[in-house]
Amino acid sequence: MPKQKITKEMVVHAAFELARAGGMEQVMVKNIAKKLNCSVQPIYSYCNNMDGLRNDVAKQAKQFIQEYIAAHIDKKDLFRSTGKAYIQIAKNEPHIFKLFIFQERKNISSLEELYQSETNPQVAQKIAKELNISIEQAKKLHLNMLIYTIGIGTIFSVTTPGIAADEIYLQQEQAYEAFLKAALE
């Protein structure tokens, strides 16, 4: 029987699945080799160091989250449904959510820089149009909701047995109303 050819993509995918199931601390060469049913040698041949592999896993986590959010938003209520989708992923995929949230963001020294690096500029335009507010008001609202949703999503992803989703959504809606009011002032 011929040996299975282990590719870098297979290694990254196996590492991602390990991180998804048990967190980044499960991404170890021996665990990847076991998942791929191979020796550790092919893993080492693709991984000069674990930091590079972890970066590849983090990139895959970001892509996973983007695809998840896109599949779970309501185009008629884009802003609110995006926030709810982030809460859903925090509940359904807590390890991926934490991996994404705790990924180092380099060269960020202000909330404005964070906002610019993490968001699509068209979102503020859509929010402004949908709510009939200025772009600056929309950015302020969006940034506040981004910070709040990340915070409450993080709480949601680390609590057991878990806070009821309805309680989280209610809290998120109350924050939205307060931030909207502040953005309009």
Side-chain angles (χ1 to χ4, degrees):
M1 183 171 176
K3 283 188 173 183
Q4 178 185 9
K5 170 109 170 96
I6 305 296
T7 65
K8 181 178 180 181
E9 291 76 24
M10 291 169 70
V11 171
V12 173
H13 181 73
F16 174 79
E17 289 300 322
L18 288 166
R20 184 178 182 187
M24 191 61 99
E25 55 274 4
Q26 296 302 310
V27 177
M28 296 183 284
V29 172
K30 68 177 184 160
N31 292 349
I32 297 167
K34 183 178 179 182
K35 186 153 187 73
L36 292 173
N37 197 28
C38 69
S39 72
V40 296
Q41 191 280 326
I43 313 305
Y44 283 119
S45 71
Y46 290 115
C47 304
N48 293 335
N49 62 52
M50 289 303 286
D51 287 339
L53 178 60
R54 287 187 180 103
N55 284 337
D56 289 342
V57 171
K59 287 177 191 171
Q60 193 165 350
K62 183 175 183 177
Q63 179 181 347
F64 180 89
I65 285 180
Q66 289 170 340
E67 291 170 3
Y68 185 99
I69 299 301
H72 289 84
I73 58 173
D74 176 359
K75 301 224 187 285
K76 293 178 186 169
D77 192 5
L78 183 67
F79 190 55
R80 282 187 174 109
S81 67
T82 300
K84 283 187 175 184
Y86 273 99
I87 298 302
Q88 287 173 334
I89 202 163
K91 177 184 179 188
N92 298 333
E93 299 283 350
H95 297 296
I96 296 299
F97 183 80
K98 287 183 271 187
L99 176 60
F100 172 70
I101 294 304
F102 295 126
Q103 181 180 354
E104 184 178 1
R105 272 90 169 156
K106 296 182 180 183
N107 301 315
I108 302 292
S109 59
S110 71
L111 290 175
E112 177 62 26
E113 288 175 358
L114 178 69
Y115 182 79
Q116 295 299 324
S117 74
E118 295 292 315
T119 63
N120 179 332
Q122 295 174 347
V123 173
Q125 294 169 353
K126 289 178 183 178
I127 294 167
K129 184 177 179 182
E130 186 177 306
L131 298 176
N132 196 29
I133 60 177
S134 73
I135 296 286
E136 286 309 310
Q137 290 169 317
K139 284 181 180 179
K140 183 178 178 182
L141 174 61
H142 192 205
L143 176 61
N144 284 335
M145 285 306 297
L146 179 70
I147 293 166
Y148 188 83
T149 298
I150 288 169
I152 202 164
T154 302
I155 291 167
F156 198 41
S157 72
V158 298
T159 55
T160 56
I163 302 166
D166 288 344
E167 184 178 354
I168 297 292
Y169 295 143
L170 176 63
Q171 191 67 35
Q172 193 177 33
E173 184 63 28
Q174 290 171 346
Y176 168 76
E177 294 297 331
F179 291 140
L180 178 60
K181 183 179 177 184
L184 295 175
E185 293 176 350

